[in-house]
PDB file of all heavy atoms in Angstrom:
ATOM      1  N   PHE H1392     -34.650  20.894   8.917  1.00 97.00           N
ATOM      2  CA  PHE H1392     -34.313  20.289   7.639  1.00 97.00           C
ATOM      3  C   PHE H1392     -32.869  20.573   7.248  1.00 97.00           C
ATOM      4  O   PHE H1392     -32.156  19.690   6.720  1.00 97.00           O
ATOM      5  CB  PHE H1392     -35.243  20.791   6.534  1.00 97.00           C
ATOM      6  CG  PHE H1392     -35.031  20.141   5.201  1.00 97.00           C
ATOM      7  CD1 PHE H1392     -35.340  18.837   5.041  1.00 97.00           C
ATOM      8  CD2 PHE H1392     -34.466  20.896   4.116  1.00 97.00           C
ATOM      9  CE1 PHE H1392     -35.078  18.236   3.792  1.00 97.00           C
ATOM     10  CE2 PHE H1392     -34.220  20.284   2.929  1.00 97.00           C
ATOM     11  CZ  PHE H1392     -34.552  18.940   2.686  1.00 97.00           C
ATOM     12  N   GLU H1393     -32.368  21.791   7.515  1.00 96.00           N
ATOM     13  CA  GLU H1393     -30.991  22.092   7.214  1.00 96.00           C
ATOM     14  C   GLU H1393     -30.056  21.222   8.041  1.00 96.00           C
ATOM     15  O   GLU H1393     -28.988  20.769   7.539  1.00 96.00           O
ATOM     16  CB  GLU H1393     -30.719  23.547   7.496  1.00 96.00           C
ATOM     17  CG  GLU H1393     -31.394  24.471   6.512  1.00 96.00           C
ATOM     18  CD  GLU H1393     -31.253  25.968   6.899  1.00 96.00           C
ATOM     19  OE1 GLU H1393     -30.640  26.189   7.923  1.00 96.00           O
ATOM     20  OE2 GLU H1393     -31.827  26.807   6.203  1.00 96.00           O
ATOM     21  N   ALA H1394     -30.460  20.885   9.258  1.00 97.00           N
ATOM     22  CA  ALA H1394     -29.616  19.989  10.102  1.00 97.00           C
ATOM     23  C   ALA H1394     -29.558  18.582   9.498  1.00 97.00           C
ATOM     24  O   ALA H1394     -28.500  17.977   9.467  1.00 97.00           O
ATOM     25  CB  ALA H1394     -30.162  19.943  11.506  1.00 97.00           C
ATOM     26  N   LEU H1395     -30.695  18.104   9.014  1.00 97.00           N
ATOM     27  CA  LEU H1395     -30.735  16.795   8.358  1.00 97.00           C
ATOM     28  C   LEU H1395     -29.917  16.779   7.124  1.00 97.00           C
ATOM     29  O   LEU H1395     -29.248  15.797   6.799  1.00 97.00           O
ATOM     30  CB  LEU H1395     -32.166  16.374   8.099  1.00 97.00           C
ATOM     31  CG  LEU H1395     -33.066  16.077   9.307  1.00 97.00           C
ATOM     32  CD1 LEU H1395     -34.512  15.875   8.845  1.00 97.00           C
ATOM     33  CD2 LEU H1395     -32.540  14.881  10.057  1.00 97.00           C
ATOM     34  N   GLN H1396     -29.985  17.867   6.381  1.00 97.00           N
ATOM     35  CA  GLN H1396     -29.231  17.984   5.087  1.00 97.00           C
ATOM     36  C   GLN H1396     -27.732  18.003   5.392  1.00 97.00           C
ATOM     37  O   GLN H1396     -26.901  17.426   4.656  1.00 97.00           O
ATOM     38  CB  GLN H1396     -29.647  19.232   4.361  1.00 97.00           C
ATOM     39  CG  GLN H1396     -30.954  19.083   3.662  1.00 97.00           C
ATOM     40  CD  GLN H1396     -30.948  18.214   2.408  1.00 97.00           C
ATOM     41  OE1 GLN H1396     -30.577  18.672   1.342  1.00 97.00           O
ATOM     42  NE2 GLN H1396     -31.258  16.939   2.527  1.00 97.00           N
ATOM     43  N   LYS H1397     -27.324  18.689   6.419  1.00 96.00           N
ATOM     44  CA  LYS H1397     -25.930  18.769   6.794  1.00 96.00           C
ATOM     45  C   LYS H1397     -25.391  17.413   7.232  1.00 96.00           C
ATOM     46  O   LYS H1397     -24.265  17.024   6.889  1.00 96.00           O
ATOM     47  CB  LYS H1397     -25.736  19.758   7.989  1.00 96.00           C
ATOM     48  CG  LYS H1397     -24.286  19.995   8.330  1.00 96.00           C
ATOM     49  CD  LYS H1397     -24.190  21.046   9.402  1.00 96.00           C
ATOM     50  CE  LYS H1397     -22.698  21.282   9.817  1.00 96.00           C
ATOM     51  NZ  LYS H1397     -22.576  22.349  10.879  1.00 96.00           N
ATOM     52  N   GLU H1398     -26.208  16.634   7.917  1.00 96.00           N
ATOM     53  CA  GLU H1398     -25.879  15.283   8.315  1.00 96.00           C
ATOM     54  C   GLU H1398     -25.733  14.407   7.102  1.00 96.00           C
ATOM     55  O   GLU H1398     -24.816  13.564   7.022  1.00 96.00           O
ATOM     56  CB  GLU H1398     -26.920  14.771   9.343  1.00 96.00           C
ATOM     57  CG  GLU H1398     -26.602  13.366   9.878  1.00 96.00           C
ATOM     58  CD  GLU H1398     -27.628  12.924  10.875  1.00 96.00           C
ATOM     59  OE1 GLU H1398     -28.465  13.750  11.342  1.00 96.00           O
ATOM     60  OE2 GLU H1398     -27.635  11.682  11.198  1.00 96.00           O
ATOM     61  N   ALA H1399     -26.658  14.533   6.167  1.00 96.00           N
ATOM     62  CA  ALA H1399     -26.642  13.685   4.935  1.00 96.00           C
ATOM     63  C   ALA H1399     -25.380  14.022   4.116  1.00 96.00           C
ATOM     64  O   ALA H1399     -24.772  13.164   3.496  1.00 96.00           O
ATOM     65  CB  ALA H1399     -27.869  13.929   4.148  1.00 96.00           C
ATOM     66  N   ALA H1400     -25.010  15.337   4.054  1.00 96.00           N
ATOM     67  CA  ALA H1400     -23.825  15.769   3.286  1.00 96.00           C
ATOM     68  C   ALA H1400     -22.536  15.199   3.841  1.00 96.00           C
ATOM     69  O   ALA H1400     -21.527  15.092   3.123  1.00 96.00           O
ATOM     70  CB  ALA H1400     -23.771  17.287   3.222  1.00 96.00           C
ATOM     71  N   ALA H1401     -22.535  14.810   5.107  1.00 94.00           N
ATOM     72  CA  ALA H1401     -21.337  14.235   5.690  1.00 94.00           C
ATOM     73  C   ALA H1401     -21.297  12.764   5.595  1.00 94.00           C
ATOM     74  O   ALA H1401     -20.291  12.110   5.926  1.00 94.00           O
ATOM     75  CB  ALA H1401     -21.290  14.623   7.229  1.00 94.00           C
ATOM     76  N   ALA H1402     -22.342  12.101   5.101  1.00 91.00           N
ATOM     77  CA  ALA H1402     -22.376  10.638   4.952  1.00 91.00           C
ATOM     78  C   ALA H1402     -21.684  10.167   3.718  1.00 91.00           C
ATOM     79  O   ALA H1402     -21.737  10.852   2.686  1.00 91.00           O
ATOM     80  CB  ALA H1402     -23.821  10.149   5.017  1.00 91.00           C
ATOM     81  N   PRO H1403     -21.042   9.011   3.778  1.00 84.00           N
ATOM     82  CA  PRO H1403     -20.426   8.404   2.480  1.00 84.00           C
ATOM     83  C   PRO H1403     -21.514   8.231   1.431  1.00 84.00           C
ATOM     84  O   PRO H1403     -22.631   7.825   1.752  1.00 84.00           O
ATOM     85  CB  PRO H1403     -19.859   7.124   3.031  1.00 84.00           C
ATOM     86  CG  PRO H1403     -19.726   7.244   4.457  1.00 84.00           C
ATOM     87  CD  PRO H1403     -20.842   8.124   4.927  1.00 84.00           C
ATOM     88  N   GLY H1404     -21.132   8.438   0.225  1.00 84.00           N
ATOM     89  CA  GLY H1404     -22.034   8.200  -0.962  1.00 84.00           C
ATOM     90  C   GLY H1404     -23.157   9.208  -1.106  1.00 84.00           C
ATOM     91  O   GLY H1404     -24.101   8.990  -1.841  1.00 84.00           O
ATOM     92  N   ASN H1405     -23.014  10.425  -0.462  1.00 93.00           N
ATOM     93  CA  ASN H1405     -24.052  11.397  -0.602  1.00 93.00           C
ATOM     94  C   ASN H1405     -24.021  12.053  -2.000  1.00 93.00           C
ATOM     95  O   ASN H1405     -23.004  12.022  -2.604  1.00 93.00           O
ATOM     96  CB  ASN H1405     -23.890  12.468   0.511  1.00 93.00           C
ATOM     97  CG  ASN H1405     -22.697  13.353   0.235  1.00 93.00           C
ATOM     98  OD1 ASN H1405     -22.785  14.277  -0.562  1.00 93.00           O
ATOM     99  ND2 ASN H1405     -21.626  13.095   0.950  1.00 93.00           N
ATOM    100  N   ARG H1406     -25.119  12.574  -2.411  1.00 94.00           N
ATOM    101  CA  ARG H1406     -25.253  13.200  -3.700  1.00 94.00           C
ATOM    102  C   ARG H1406     -26.420  14.127  -3.681  1.00 94.00           C
ATOM    103  O   ARG H1406     -27.333  14.041  -2.866  1.00 94.00           O
ATOM    104  CB  ARG H1406     -25.344  12.188  -4.848  1.00 94.00           C
ATOM    105  CG  ARG H1406     -26.669  11.510  -4.917  1.00 94.00           C
ATOM    106  CD  ARG H1406     -26.565  10.123  -5.553  1.00 94.00           C
ATOM    107  NE  ARG H1406     -25.916   9.185  -4.647  1.00 94.00           N
ATOM    108  CZ  ARG H1406     -25.738   7.887  -4.917  1.00 94.00           C
ATOM    109  NH1 ARG H1406     -26.131   7.443  -6.095  1.00 94.00           N
ATOM    110  NH2 ARG H1406     -25.224   7.104  -4.036  1.00 94.00           N
ATOM    111  N   SER H1407     -26.407  15.068  -4.701  1.00 95.00           N
ATOM    112  CA  SER H1407     -27.506  16.048  -4.821  1.00 95.00           C
ATOM    113  C   SER H1407     -28.457  15.541  -5.902  1.00 95.00           C
ATOM    114  O   SER H1407     -28.048  15.199  -7.002  1.00 95.00           O
ATOM    115  CB  SER H1407     -26.960  17.405  -5.124  1.00 95.00           C
ATOM    116  OG  SER H1407     -27.992  18.340  -5.450  1.00 95.00           O
ATOM    117  N   VAL H1408     -29.779  15.490  -5.623  1.00 94.00           N
ATOM    118  CA  VAL H1408     -30.760  15.119  -6.617  1.00 94.00           C
ATOM    119  C   VAL H1408     -31.855  16.158  -6.676  1.00 94.00           C
ATOM    120  O   VAL H1408     -32.074  16.933  -5.756  1.00 94.00           O
ATOM    121  CB  VAL H1408     -31.365  13.744  -6.260  1.00 94.00           C
ATOM    122  CG1 VAL H1408     -30.304  12.619  -6.188  1.00 94.00           C
ATOM    123  CG2 VAL H1408     -32.105  13.795  -4.893  1.00 94.00           C
ATOM    124  N   ALA H1409     -32.574  16.163  -7.801  1.00 94.00           N
ATOM    125  CA  ALA H1409     -33.627  17.122  -8.032  1.00 94.00           C
ATOM    126  C   ALA H1409     -34.956  16.642  -7.557  1.00 94.00           C
ATOM    127  O   ALA H1409     -35.291  15.455  -7.706  1.00 94.00           O
ATOM    128  CB  ALA H1409     -33.715  17.489  -9.494  1.00 94.00           C
ATOM    129  N   CYS H1410     -35.738  17.544  -6.973  1.00 95.00           N
ATOM    130  CA  CYS H1410     -37.099  17.209  -6.567  1.00 95.00           C
ATOM    131  C   CYS H1410     -38.048  17.567  -7.712  1.00 95.00           C
ATOM    132  O   CYS H1410     -37.637  18.095  -8.729  1.00 95.00           O
ATOM    133  CB  CYS H1410     -37.501  18.012  -5.333  1.00 95.00           C
ATOM    134  SG  CYS H1410     -36.420  17.767  -3.937  1.00 95.00           S
ATOM    135  N   LYS H1411     -39.328  17.270  -7.533  1.00 92.00           N
ATOM    136  CA  LYS H1411     -40.334  17.603  -8.551  1.00 92.00           C
ATOM    137  C   LYS H1411     -40.291  19.088  -8.998  1.00 92.00           C
ATOM    138  O   LYS H1411     -40.387  19.363 -10.203  1.00 92.00           O
ATOM    139  CB  LYS H1411     -41.735  17.248  -8.058  1.00 92.00           C
ATOM    140  CG  LYS H1411     -42.128  15.747  -8.196  1.00 92.00           C
ATOM    141  CD  LYS H1411     -43.530  15.586  -7.726  1.00 92.00           C
ATOM    142  CE  LYS H1411     -43.984  14.125  -7.875  1.00 92.00           C
ATOM    143  NZ  LYS H1411     -45.356  13.994  -7.418  1.00 92.00           N
ATOM    144  N   GLY H1412     -40.205  19.991  -8.051  1.00 85.00           N
ATOM    145  CA  GLY H1412     -40.249  21.392  -8.347  1.00 85.00           C
ATOM    146  C   GLY H1412     -38.946  21.962  -8.809  1.00 85.00           C
ATOM    147  O   GLY H1412     -38.862  23.183  -8.961  1.00 85.00           O
ATOM    148  N   GLY H1413     -37.900  21.159  -8.916  1.00 89.00           N
ATOM    149  CA  GLY H1413     -36.595  21.652  -9.348  1.00 89.00           C
ATOM    150  C   GLY H1413     -35.625  21.950  -8.194  1.00 89.00           C
ATOM    151  O   GLY H1413     -34.431  22.057  -8.481  1.00 89.00           O
ATOM    152  N   ARG H1414     -36.106  22.022  -6.963  1.00 93.00           N
ATOM    153  CA  ARG H1414     -35.234  22.168  -5.842  1.00 93.00           C
ATOM    154  C   ARG H1414     -34.327  20.917  -5.718  1.00 93.00           C
ATOM    155  O   ARG H1414     -34.783  19.814  -6.014  1.00 93.00           O
ATOM    156  CB  ARG H1414     -36.045  22.395  -4.569  1.00 93.00           C
ATOM    157  CG  ARG H1414     -35.134  22.484  -3.318  1.00 93.00           C
ATOM    158  CD  ARG H1414     -35.966  22.807  -2.082  1.00 93.00           C
ATOM    159  NE  ARG H1414     -35.141  22.885  -0.895  1.00 93.00           N
ATOM    160  CZ  ARG H1414     -35.530  23.295   0.264  1.00 93.00           C
ATOM    161  NH1 ARG H1414     -36.765  23.709   0.435  1.00 93.00           N
ATOM    162  NH2 ARG H1414     -34.688  23.334   1.314  1.00 93.00           N
ATOM    163  N   ARG H1415     -33.091  21.173  -5.272  1.00 96.00           N
ATOM    164  CA  ARG H1415     -32.184  20.048  -5.114  1.00 96.00           C
ATOM    165  C   ARG H1415     -32.010  19.757  -3.618  1.00 96.00           C
ATOM    166  O   ARG H1415     -31.968  20.665  -2.763  1.00 96.00           O
ATOM    167  CB  ARG H1415     -30.815  20.301  -5.748  1.00 96.00           C
ATOM    168  CG  ARG H1415     -30.938  20.576  -7.248  1.00 96.00           C
ATOM    169  CD  ARG H1415     -29.587  20.540  -7.925  1.00 96.00           C
ATOM    170  NE  ARG H1415     -29.041  19.172  -8.005  1.00 96.00           N
ATOM    171  CZ  ARG H1415     -29.394  18.290  -8.968  1.00 96.00           C
ATOM    172  NH1 ARG H1415     -30.245  18.603  -9.918  1.00 96.00           N
ATOM    173  NH2 ARG H1415     -28.897  17.080  -8.949  1.00 96.00           N
ATOM    174  N   VAL H1416     -31.887  18.463  -3.272  1.00 96.00           N
ATOM    175  CA  VAL H1416     -31.699  18.022  -1.858  1.00 96.00           C
ATOM    176  C   VAL H1416     -30.557  17.013  -1.909  1.00 96.00           C
ATOM    177  O   VAL H1416     -30.278  16.347  -2.864  1.00 96.00           O
ATOM    178  CB  VAL H1416     -32.983  17.436  -1.271  1.00 96.00           C
ATOM    179  CG1 VAL H1416     -34.080  18.425  -1.164  1.00 96.00           C
ATOM    180  CG2 VAL H1416     -33.454  16.206  -2.124  1.00 96.00           C
ATOM    181  N   VAL H1417     -29.873  16.932  -0.733  1.00 97.00           N
ATOM    182  CA  VAL H1417     -28.850  15.947  -0.548  1.00 97.00           C
ATOM    183  C   VAL H1417     -29.421  14.644  -0.016  1.00 97.00           C
ATOM    184  O   VAL H1417     -30.211  14.652   0.916  1.00 97.00           O
ATOM    185  CB  VAL H1417     -27.773  16.465   0.422  1.00 97.00           C
ATOM    186  CG1 VAL H1417     -26.662  15.423   0.622  1.00 97.00           C
ATOM    187  CG2 VAL H1417     -27.149  17.781  -0.094  1.00 97.00           C
ATOM    188  N   VAL H1418     -29.063  13.552  -0.665  1.00 96.00           N
ATOM    189  CA  VAL H1418     -29.528  12.224  -0.247  1.00 96.00           C
ATOM    190  C   VAL H1418     -28.275  11.333   0.021  1.00 96.00           C
ATOM    191  O   VAL H1418     -27.234  11.575  -0.484  1.00 96.00           O
ATOM    192  CB  VAL H1418     -30.405  11.558  -1.311  1.00 96.00           C
ATOM    193  CG1 VAL H1418     -31.715  12.337  -1.468  1.00 96.00           C
ATOM    194  CG2 VAL H1418     -29.708  11.418  -2.627  1.00 96.00           C
ATOM    195  N   THR H1419     -28.534  10.295   0.815  1.00 96.00           N
ATOM    196  CA  THR H1419     -27.448   9.298   1.101  1.00 96.00           C
ATOM    197  C   THR H1419     -27.821   7.976   0.455  1.00 96.00           C
ATOM    198  O   THR H1419     -28.925   7.824  -0.084  1.00 96.00           O
ATOM    199  CB  THR H1419     -27.314   9.092   2.641  1.00 96.00           C
ATOM    200  OG1 THR H1419     -28.570   8.442   3.134  1.00 96.00           O
ATOM    201  CG2 THR H1419     -27.105  10.393   3.362  1.00 96.00           C
ATOM    202  N   ASN H1420     -26.941   7.013   0.530  1.00 95.00           N
ATOM    203  CA  ASN H1420     -27.228   5.718   0.029  1.00 95.00           C
ATOM    204  C   ASN H1420     -28.471   5.090   0.656  1.00 95.00           C
ATOM    205  O   ASN H1420     -29.350   4.553  -0.056  1.00 95.00           O
ATOM    206  CB  ASN H1420     -26.049   4.739   0.251  1.00 95.00           C
ATOM    207  CG  ASN H1420     -24.890   5.035  -0.688  1.00 95.00           C
ATOM    208  OD1 ASN H1420     -24.989   5.689  -1.667  1.00 95.00           O
ATOM    209  ND2 ASN H1420     -23.691   4.470  -0.345  1.00 95.00           N
ATOM    210  N   GLN H1421     -28.571   5.240   1.943  1.00 95.00           N
ATOM    211  CA  GLN H1421     -29.723   4.658   2.631  1.00 95.00           C
ATOM    212  C   GLN H1421     -31.007   5.413   2.304  1.00 95.00           C
ATOM    213  O   GLN H1421     -32.100   4.876   2.266  1.00 95.00           O
ATOM    214  CB  GLN H1421     -29.496   4.575   4.173  1.00 95.00           C
ATOM    215  CG  GLN H1421     -28.676   3.403   4.616  1.00 95.00           C
ATOM    216  CD  GLN H1421     -29.152   2.109   4.024  1.00 95.00           C
ATOM    217  OE1 GLN H1421     -28.477   1.505   3.232  1.00 95.00           O
ATOM    218  NE2 GLN H1421     -30.327   1.668   4.432  1.00 95.00           N
ATOM    219  N   GLY H1422     -30.899   6.747   2.154  1.00 96.00           N
ATOM    220  CA  GLY H1422     -32.059   7.490   1.705  1.00 96.00           C
ATOM    221  C   GLY H1422     -32.572   7.015   0.337  1.00 96.00           C
ATOM    222  O   GLY H1422     -33.768   6.869   0.138  1.00 96.00           O
TER     223      GLY H1422
END
Side-chain angles (χ1 to χ4, degrees):
F1392 183 70
E1393 288 172 5
L1395 292 174
Q1396 285 285 278
K1397 185 176 180 180
E1398 185 178 345
N1405 72 80
R1406 71 208 72 175
S1407 174
V1408 299
C1410 304
K1411 278 183 177 179
R1414 176 174 178 171
R1415 300 194 72 84
V1416 295
V1417 178
V1418 295
T1419 67
N1420 285 346
Q1421 278 311 112

